[in-house]
Amino acid sequence: MGKIFYIMGKSSSGKDTIYRRLLEDRELELRNIILYTTRPMRQGEQPGREYYFVNEEDFREYQAQGRIIESRTYQTVYGPWIYFTADDGQIELEKRNYLGIGTLESYICMKEYYGEGNLCPLYIEVEDGERLKRAIHREELQPEPKYAEMCRRFLADEEDFSPENLKKAGIIRHFENTELESCVKELKTCIQKLQ
């Protein structure tokens, strides 16, 4: 039986980079789980790679079919953005291990849907000042930086990933991403032990 290794952490903690690096590691043989979102595509993103980019009507259709595993709606300064995981046939735990990425809330929903024994949380942590520097740098690279949204996410993460919420979700192990290579190596070792 396979497992879902689930990466989560506050914004600009390096989750996306770590996610890509672990997926590229052929020794781990992890299959990715592609989430859906209604938010606009960022520069450099491709449909079906980072996310399936859909509209609200598509989301409502999945909802009507009872195929939403978890969803989150963020009231951004640009309007509501929905992120969700759909039961679309891409996860076959009887065949392989997967790597997912999301929020603490999405992790809890995935754990309820697939069973606690099938999910392994990988919580990435970065000091707040460093996260803020990374977030600003990332926005500066966008054709139209969305600084207000960046600040909203930064502040929301403080509440969402509070020590109390992490403890309640059963997240006890944290992976410090101060140096990318050592963080990826530590995560790889952890995944190999649990596979």
Side-chain angles (χ1 to χ4, degrees), residues 4 6 69 85 106-115 119:
I4 299 171
Y6 206 77
I69 296 170
T85 306
S106 67
Y107 165 74
I108 292 166
C109 292
M110 292 285 283
K111 188 168 69 165
E112 288 171 2
Y113 193 85
Y114 289 105
L119 249 51

Side-chain angles (χ1 to χ4, degrees), residues 88-106:
D88 58 3
Q90 66 178 299
I91 298 174
E92 300 174 295
L93 288 174
E94 64 281 357
K95 294 183 179 180
R96 62 185 53 91
N97 292 311
Y98 292 86
L99 186 65
I101 187 170
T103 64
L104 186 61
E105 181 185 341
S106 67

Side-chain angles (χ1 to χ4, degrees), residues 33-193:
I33 300 170
I34 302 171
L35 304 180
Y36 292 74
T37 185
T38 63
R39 79 152 166 77
M41 207 176 343
R42 292 181 183 144
Q43 184 175 350
E45 290 182 328
Q46 292 178 10
R49 187 178 69 187
E50 286 83 10
Y51 294 98
Y52 292 120
F53 295 94
V54 296
N55 58 40
E56 284 191 45
E57 188 178 305
D58 296 323
F59 170 72
R60 302 281 174 241
E61 191 173 316
Y62 273 107
Q63 209 171 30
Q65 295 169 359
R67 295 172 59 198
I68 302 291
I69 296 170
E70 61 82 25
S71 69
R72 297 144 275 141
T73 301
Y74 298 106
Q75 299 304 326
T76 75
V77 295
Y78 300 97
W81 290 352
I82 303 170
Y83 291 78
F84 65 97
T85 306
D87 188 349
D88 58 3
Q90 66 178 299
I91 298 174
E92 300 174 295
L93 288 174
E94 64 281 357
K95 294 183 179 180
R96 62 185 53 91
N97 292 311
Y98 292 86
L99 186 65
I101 187 170
T103 64
L104 186 61
E105 181 185 341
S106 67
Y107 165 74
I108 292 166
C109 292
M110 292 285 283
K111 188 168 69 165
E112 288 171 2
Y113 193 85
Y114 289 105
E116 188 167 1
N118 294 320
L119 249 51
C120 301
L122 304 172
Y123 180 67
I124 311 301
E125 199 166 55
V126 173
E127 186 271 326
D128 285 344
E130 180 60 29
R131 278 194 320 108
L132 189 53
K133 289 177 199 169
R134 292 178 185 184
I136 291 168
H137 177 69
R138 182 172 70 186
E139 283 307 311
E140 287 172 339
L141 298 175
Q142 297 299 314
E144 292 181 39
K146 296 175 170 63
Y147 294 111
E149 175 56 20
M150 177 203 77
C151 291
R152 185 206 62 79
R153 287 179 61 208
F154 189 87
L155 295 172
D157 282 348
E158 288 303 303
E159 186 177 329
D160 294 345
F161 289 100
S162 70
E164 298 79 28
N165 287 344
L166 290 171
K167 186 177 179 183
K168 200 160 98 177
I171 312 293
I172 52 172
R173 182 149 185 213
H174 299 200
F175 297 87
E176 188 70 38
N177 184 19
T178 50
E179 201 281 307
L180 180 64
E181 296 307 319
S182 32
C183 184
V184 169
K185 186 177 178 182
E186 185 182 2
L187 285 159
K188 178 178 178 177
T189 301
C190 177
I191 291 168
Q192 288 174 320
K193 283 180 185 172

